[in-house]
Each structure stands twice: as structure tokens, then as C-alpha cells.
Amino acid sequence: MTESSIAIIVAVLGIAGTLGSAVFTQLLASRARQAEIDREQQARADEHARAQADEALATRRACYIAFNSAARRFHAQIRHCTHALRGQKRPDDPWAALDETRSAFANDYAELQLTAPDRVLTAAHGVNSELNWLYGMVRRLNDGNGRDEESVERA
């Protein structure tokens, strides 16, 4: 090998190294930019998922509150009717309001069924069953069709 051949090889390697270095630098920069874009997209996706979870929780919570309030109103109205069955004077007609509170309770229970997990639905079903059992009893007692085991005191 001659000196000029070695010089050409060194020059070619120098040029290739310089060009390769530029390409390698661009490749690393491109990968870094893509990684940053991926992190930003993941952060947006995480934020969106958190917002959806927060919204779902708020919806469930609103359903729980509405159901609880409706159940309390329904139960209170049943109590007003038992007072009326005992002959206690009421400032309003408890029987007219009973059907309204029962309907509102049924609507809130139906909405709860669409959003609540099974363990909550199990408890809500128990509340629904008991209140409707009481409703039937006070209605039958008011109509004079009470069953043998049914009484105002039991209601």
C-alpha cells in the first residue's frame, strides 16, 4: 500500500465518519422527539381517562344520593299513612302523596340500576323490596283488605 492509498482511505473514513455522525445524530434526535411525543400523548390519554373516571364517579354518587333521598321520602310518606290509619289528623292527604313518592322512588331506583355495581344493587334491591312490601301493606290496610298477619302496628 502506498502512502497515497492510505491517505485516500483515511480521507474516505474521515468523510464517512463525519457523514455517519450527522446521520446518527439526526436519528437520535428523531427518536428523542418521538419519545417526547409519545409521552405527551400518554399524558393526555391518562388525563382523559382520569376525567372519565371522575365523571363516572360523580354520576354514580348523584344516583346514590337521589336514591337515598327518594327512599327516605317514600319511607316517611308510608309513616304518614300509618299515622292516618291510626286516625291521627294530618295537615295534608298522605295517600295522594304516597303514590307520587313511590313513583319518584321507582325512577331513582331504575336509574341506580344502570350505574351501580352489583354490591350496591344488592343493598338497593333490599331497600326496594322492603319499601314496596310496606307500601302494599298500608294500601291493603287502608282499603280494608289487610291480610291476617298485617296490622297498623306491624306497618
Side-chain angles (χ1 to χ4, degrees), residues 43-90:
R44 282 193 295 274
D46 291 347
E47 181 60 32
H48 182 68
R50 276 190 299 277
Q52 284 183 323
D54 289 347
E55 185 177 326
L57 179 62
T59 298
R60 278 196 315 274
R61 187 172 190 272
C63 285
Y64 297 166
I65 291 168
F67 175 77
N68 187 46
S69 296
R72 287 176 178 273
R73 284 191 302 274
F74 187 26
H75 186 249
Q77 199 59 46
I78 290 171
R79 277 195 327 269
H80 293 319
C81 291
T82 60
H83 294 311
L85 286 171
R86 286 188 181 119
Q88 296 174 355
K89 296 288 183 189
R90 306 299 304 168

Side-chain angles (χ1 to χ4, degrees), residues 94-153:
W95 300 102
L98 180 61
D99 288 330
E100 290 174 22
T101 58
R102 181 178 186 228
S103 178
F105 172 75
N107 288 337
D108 288 331
Y109 179 58
E111 188 172 346
L112 182 76
Q113 288 176 309
L114 298 174
T115 60
D118 288 343
R119 63 186 171 83
V120 174
L121 288 177
T122 299
H125 176 72
V127 170
N128 181 57
S129 295
E130 290 296 316
L131 287 174
N132 281 308
W133 176 77
L134 279 171
Y135 170 82
M137 184 189 306
V138 297
R139 276 292 183 193
R140 284 188 296 276
L141 290 170
N142 186 52
D143 295 341
N145 299 323
R147 297 176 184 156
D148 290 338
E149 70 277 3
E150 294 177 341
S151 67
V152 175
E153 290 74 26

Side-chain angles (χ1 to χ4, degrees), residues 1-67:
M1 243 194 199
T2 65
E3 218 174 276
S4 64
S5 301
I6 294 176
I8 291 175
I9 291 173
V10 169
V12 168
L13 288 176
I15 292 171
T18 301
L19 292 175
S21 167
V23 169
F24 186 67
T25 301
Q26 286 292 359
L27 181 63
L28 288 178
S30 175
R31 285 186 180 174
R33 277 193 303 274
Q34 188 59 47
E36 182 62 28
I37 290 169
D38 291 347
R39 280 192 297 273
E40 288 173 5
Q41 287 175 340
Q42 186 60 46
R44 282 193 295 274
D46 291 347
E47 181 60 32
H48 182 68
R50 276 190 299 277
Q52 284 183 323
D54 289 347
E55 185 177 326
L57 179 62
T59 298
R60 278 196 315 274
R61 187 172 190 272
C63 285
Y64 297 166
I65 291 168
F67 175 77

